[in-house]
Amino acid sequence: MTDVTSLMRQIEDVGTDPRGPGYLRPGYSPVERELRDWFVAEAERRGLDVEIDANGIVWAWATAPGDNAVITGSHLDSVPGGGQFDGPLGVASALAAYDELASRGTFDQPTRPFALAVFPEEEGSRFGLACLGSRLLTGAVAADDALALTDQNGDTLAEVVTRYDLDPQRMGADADRIAQIGSFIELHVEQGVGLINTDQPVAIGSSIVGHGRWHFRFTGQGNHAGTTPMTHRADPVAAASRLIGDIPALADGFDQAVATVGRTSIHPGGTNVIASAMDFWFDIRHDSDDVVAEVLDAITSRGRERAAEAAGAGARDNGIEVSLDVSRESYSPTTYFHRELNDRLRAVLPEAPLLPTGAGHDAGILAAHVPSAMLFVRNPTGVSHAPEEACEDDDARSGAKALADVLAAELTHGLDNGTAS
């Protein structure tokens, strides 16, 4: 088996964040394209038949494409300041697992069709919608809606993918491709502490906790910082910042709920200017969709209270207030992975624990359409989406071998009774 750690070292200098430690690998960007080109070169060096579909998803076929295919892979983009392993470990492990299968002579005998896949913009860090490639593929997001999304520079997805050598008019759901997939298995570094205190380097995913992203915009009255009395201000920054400070306690009032503010923006952003607007984007996660809705309601209600408080008496006398606009950017309900597929993984990896995750993945989007499963590889720090994200070399090798083992079983599942083609 090609050592997965050597594959990871090949790309460890690509997309390092110029602002500090960690990585900056936005979706549909020159950096992601460099990583994609690396994967394509590695796949072609192995004799795989590579195609890049209309959504920018890379498929590297080890066999002729066909129905009931077994697919494995992950993504190569990162969050700003992200870690080395989130996404690329799954891609490198897919390549290493293919090498192991080939060395065993797996493809010398009949198997189900098999491909490696790389999905773009999984993190949603550029256009605000996580798992964008897999959502487009499955139709979980309408192509017109996706193409209208804008990044922080104001560029639409339609404009960006054109520079990425994709045709926006061809992007969207691909029912034929989805119909080909018989099972999808994604390996990923663990993004929590579930395996830290165990003697197991690999776990089998049981579910992905429901999660969504929302955008709050507080709008007030821009004015001069030196000449406007505090009583005459309608300051959106005061309202938004107070609410941001409230959110941890509000989320903590619901068992197991988490809520996180990850991005803010103040307009116009002058030091000597009372802002006219402040935006922030936040994330809520819980395995109950009802609880997610309750947390959102609590945050929204407190936000309207903070907006009312942020307008001084003099501003209110002049009919000036701070207002709050709430919009949802994305939502994925709790996803449970395919029971029968997971049973097959557990038969191959009987020591591997079952582990839920609070992180979203392409496998979670595909799970609504095809049997899907995940393997998680131990992260000794428990930290992810940050430079401290880690994976020991031996654990990475164990993960790649585990992936090869479950793929070997899956590639022949059903062949003996004629249920696979």
Side-chain angles (χ1 to χ4, degrees):
M1 174 185 286
T2 300
D3 193 295
V4 65
T5 63
S6 68
L7 289 165
M8 290 294 293
R9 282 194 292 272
Q10 291 177 17
I11 57 173
E12 65 184 358
D13 294 328
V14 179
T16 53
D17 195 333
R19 305 166 303 174
Y23 290 86
L24 184 63
R25 295 165 164 172
Y28 300 109
S29 70
V31 169
E32 189 190 40
R33 184 168 191 155
E34 182 177 351
L35 292 166
R36 186 190 76 179
D37 290 346
W38 163 80
F39 172 77
V40 168
E42 286 294 316
E44 290 179 340
R45 188 168 66 82
R46 290 162 170 78
L48 305 185
D49 185 10
V50 177
E51 61 171 312
I52 300 174
D53 72 12
N55 296 311
I57 303 169
V58 186
W59 306 87
W61 290 92
T63 66
D67 293 340
N68 202 27
V70 178
I71 311 294
T72 189
S74 193
H75 64 97
L76 292 167
D77 62 306
S78 79
V79 297
Q84 179 182 1
F85 299 93
D86 179 356
L89 181 64
V91 175
S93 296
L95 288 165
Y98 166 77
D99 290 343
E100 173 66 12
L101 294 171
S103 72
R104 296 178 188 179
T106 301
F107 303 109
D108 296 339
Q109 305 296 324
T111 70
R112 294 163 60 183
F114 178 54
L116 316 184
V118 177
F119 294 87
E121 180 68 336
E122 189 269 356
E123 297 291 2
S125 61
R126 182 165 188 181
F127 291 99
L129 184 58
C131 303
L132 184 54
S134 54
R135 288 181 189 272
L136 282 163
L137 172 70
T138 59
V141 61
D144 287 347
D145 292 340
L147 291 167
L149 294 171
T150 58
D151 64 14
Q152 293 187 48
N153 295 323
D155 294 329
T156 66
L157 177 64
E159 293 167 338
V160 168
V161 298
T162 299
R163 299 194 292 267
Y164 206 68
D165 295 332
L166 297 175
D167 180 357
Q169 299 304 313
R170 296 182 58 237
M171 297 181 78
D174 187 343
D176 291 339
R177 177 53 50 88
I178 289 296
Q180 281 186 322
I181 302 174
S183 52
F184 177 72
I185 301 171
E186 179 176 5
L187 179 144
H188 205 280
V189 69
E190 190 200 352
Q191 296 180 271
V193 298
L195 287 171
I196 285 180
N197 294 318
T198 75
D199 61 357
Q200 296 299 315
V202 179
I204 298 169
S206 60
S207 63
I208 296 177
V209 170
H211 57 283
R213 298 180 184 186
W214 286 266
H215 173 202
F216 273 24
R217 162 164 274 220
F218 287 86
T219 304
Q221 175 65 64
N223 213 328
H224 195 290
T227 62
T228 309
M230 301 304 289
T231 56
H232 286 66
R233 299 184 179 204
D235 187 349
V237 174
S241 59
R242 288 169 185 162
L243 177 59
I244 290 171
D246 293 336
I247 286 176
L250 291 171
D252 196 43
F254 299 85
D255 186 41
Q256 303 298 315
V258 293
T260 307
V261 176
R263 180 159 65 100
T264 64
S265 176
I266 297 174
H267 180 79
T271 305
N272 60 346
V273 176
I274 300 169
S276 57
M278 180 168 173
D279 301 81
F280 68 81
W281 292 259
F282 69 102
D283 176 299
I284 304 173
R285 305 189 186 214
H286 194 276
D287 61 7
S288 166
D289 297 337
D290 290 340
V291 171
V292 172
E294 290 173 12
V295 175
L296 176 63
D297 286 346
I299 294 173
T300 303
S301 177
R302 182 65 60 84
R304 300 204 187 284
E305 293 174 5
R306 293 305 193 189
E309 296 167 0
R316 293 196 302 272
D317 288 344
N318 290 316
I320 302 171
E321 299 179 344
V322 176
S323 62
L324 170 61
D325 181 67
V326 178
S327 58
R328 187 178 80 179
E329 293 204 326
S330 67
Y331 187 72
S332 298
T334 295
T335 298
Y336 295 93
F337 289 116
H338 194 267
R339 185 182 64 184
E340 293 180 3
L341 178 55
N342 261 10
D343 286 345
R344 296 199 291 273
L345 267 62
R346 295 179 72 185
V348 176
L349 306 173
E351 302 299 319
L354 285 174
L355 189 68
T357 179
H361 300 281
D362 290 308
I365 302 300
L366 290 170
H369 305 270
V370 301
S372 299
M374 291 195 72
L375 297 178
F376 295 112
V377 181
R378 182 165 49 195
N379 175 349
T381 68
V383 174
S384 188
H385 282 187
E388 293 80 11
E389 179 180 272
C391 183
E392 300 289 347
D393 286 354
D394 285 345
D395 286 353
R397 295 183 186 108
S398 294
K401 183 181 183 303
L403 179 61
D405 290 343
V406 299
L407 289 171
E410 192 64 14
L411 283 164
T412 58
H413 173 71
L415 289 180
D416 56 346
N417 60 20
T419 59
S421 57

